[in-house]
């Protein structure tokens, strides 16, 4: 589920980047960055990592 959503987010980011810049290499880099960021974010959200505020 995490990977699927991340790929969707990355594809959307890549399409928007290409639409804005008309640069295929820039769109590919944007796609990779958005996908990697989304994987990390969704993994943290779904895993339910507790905060360090156990005071």
């Amino acid at each position: 589920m995490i990977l699927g959503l991340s790929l969707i987010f990355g594809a959307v980011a890549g399409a928007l980047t290409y639409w804005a810049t008309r640069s295929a290499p820039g769109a590919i880099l944007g796609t990779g960055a958005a996908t990697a960021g989304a994987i990390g974010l969704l993994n943290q959200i779904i895993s339910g990592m507790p905060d360090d505020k156990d005071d």
Side-chain angles (χ1 to χ4, degrees):
M1 185 166 96
I2 292 172
L3 185 58
L5 286 174
S6 297
L7 290 173
I8 291 170
F9 294 154
V12 169
L16 290 173
T17 302
Y18 182 75
W19 183 48
T21 63
R22 298 288 186 219
S23 169
I28 291 169
L29 288 173
T31 300
T35 302
I39 288 172
L41 178 66
L42 292 173
N43 191 25
Q44 281 184 339
I45 291 172
I46 292 176
S47 69
M49 293 179 54
D51 293 338
D52 291 337
K53 299 178 185 176
D54 291 335
D55 295 341

